[in-house]
Amino acid sequence: MRILILGAGKMGTFFSDLLQPYHEVAVFDSDSARLRFTYGVLRFSSLNEVDEFDPEMVINAVTVKHTLDAFHSVIPHLSSACILSDIASVKTGLPEFYASCGHPYVSTHPMFGPTFASLSNLANENAIIISEGSPAGKEFFRQLYAKLKLNIVDYTFEEHDLTIAYSLSIPFASTLVFGAVMKHQDAPGTTFKRHMAIARGLMSEDDYLLSEILFNPNTPHQLELISEKLSELRDIISRRDSEAMRGFLDSVRTNIS
């Protein structure tokens, strides 16, 4: 299959390395310097080069902020049969775009990233395939993710957004609050250092990505749950209530077991 990847960032180069042994792959990036890190693929720095390549699938791997702009820019250079796909962690605007774009499409979300995951060993990671979309496109990514030994889950766009509000917004918000009250430690303990490593990794992500994930309409409800549990814990600590603390810890152990 002829596959065009938009964006030569970390995830774009990851997918190009993954696909190039089995497919004819081209990578487009308007910043030609970034193409230096792609190997065994065609390198395009102008969309006019896409015309002759005539891709059968486009994988949009640009940053979330520019996902829709990248699609709008490349569509004039594609045949109507070309499958559009994205791997965006934020799907805002994509259902509406796909409904009117005139192309078959598939939307997925690899639930891992270069900040924390080891891209060479993803056996314990997950991927979401959006149930709306092209059967051929979904089957392509199902086989691809299966080769990586990912756990694959099928969600609708709505279910995906609910899941992201829970699985990303809660740890993101908790980490941001941890960082917001942080003070320098001359002799940090192991737990502190682990939390700090997570906070530094999170803060290395793109500000727009962090904002859009937290701006998920389902996030406020999750934050309310955090606030309720913080208030409960603060009350237990203030009262030095050992029995209540034991019950709180038992409930946490049940949740994470």
Side-chain angles (χ1 to χ4, degrees):
M1 180 182 287
R2 294 185 306 280
I3 300 173
L4 173 66
I5 297 173
L6 302 178
K10 292 179 180 178
M11 291 304 287
T13 53
F14 168 73
F15 273 91
S16 70
D17 290 344
L18 183 65
L19 294 168
Q20 63 89 10
Y22 313 102
H23 301 276
E24 188 177 354
V25 177
V27 179
F28 166 79
D29 199 298
S30 57
D31 182 358
S32 58
R34 296 172 63 129
L35 294 170
R36 293 178 299 174
F37 304 103
T38 58
Y39 304 96
V41 300
L42 296 173
R43 303 173 181 180
F44 296 161
S45 56
S46 168
L47 286 173
N48 291 328
E49 298 173 276
V50 174
D51 297 314
E52 183 177 352
F53 183 62
D54 190 23
E56 298 166 89
M57 174 180 283
V58 169
I59 299 177
N60 192 334
V62 304
T63 57
V64 170
K65 183 177 183 179
H66 300 294
T67 299
L68 289 174
D69 289 340
F71 272 142
H72 286 302
S73 296
V74 76
I75 277 180
H77 303 272
L78 306 176
S79 70
S80 60
C82 181
I83 300 173
L84 303 182
S85 70
D86 75 272
I87 56 171
S89 54
V90 177
K91 304 297 185 184
T92 304
L94 284 169
E96 296 80 7
F97 166 76
Y98 284 134
S100 62
C101 70
H103 285 261
Y105 72 89
V106 56
S107 184
T108 74
H109 182 182
M111 296 290 286
F112 55 85
T115 300
F116 295 116
S118 171
L119 297 183
S120 61
N121 182 15
L122 298 170
N124 295 318
E125 304 294 343
N126 303 291
I128 294 172
I129 295 178
I130 301 300
S131 55
E132 296 99 330
S134 158
K138 289 187 289 186
E139 183 59 25
F140 174 88
F141 278 96
R142 193 175 304 280
Q143 292 183 18
L144 179 64
Y145 291 153
K147 288 180 182 178
L148 297 173
K149 303 188 185 311
L150 296 172
N151 176 52
I152 302 170
V153 180
D154 293 270
Y155 284 149
T156 64
F157 277 115
E158 182 179 3
E159 289 169 335
H160 169 271
D161 289 349
L162 286 168
T163 297
I164 295 309
Y166 180 79
S167 65
L168 290 185
S169 294
I170 287 180
F172 279 20
S174 300
T175 301
L176 288 173
V177 171
F178 169 81
V181 300
M182 190 47 49
K183 294 181 180 179
H184 175 72
Q185 299 290 314
D186 291 323
T190 301
T191 302
F192 179 92
K193 288 190 289 185
R194 288 181 178 178
H195 278 280
M196 182 61 79
I198 292 174
R200 286 173 175 157
L202 182 67
M203 298 316 298
S204 71
E205 295 283 3
D206 178 73
D207 286 0
Y208 183 86
L209 173 63
L210 298 179
S211 298
E212 288 303 297
I213 287 174
L214 290 169
F215 290 164
N216 184 318
N218 302 289
T219 296
H221 174 65
Q222 300 300 333
L223 295 183
E224 289 172 7
L225 296 177
I226 293 175
S227 296
E228 289 173 6
K229 287 301 178 182
L230 275 174
S231 295
E232 180 183 347
L233 181 59
R234 182 177 58 188
D235 181 60
I236 292 172
I237 293 171
S238 297
R239 293 185 285 108
R240 300 179 64 84
D241 188 333
S242 298
E243 184 176 349
M245 178 61 79
R246 189 180 304 111
F248 189 93
L249 296 176
D250 285 344
S251 69
V252 172
R253 290 190 179 98
T254 298
N255 285 348
I256 66 175
S257 63

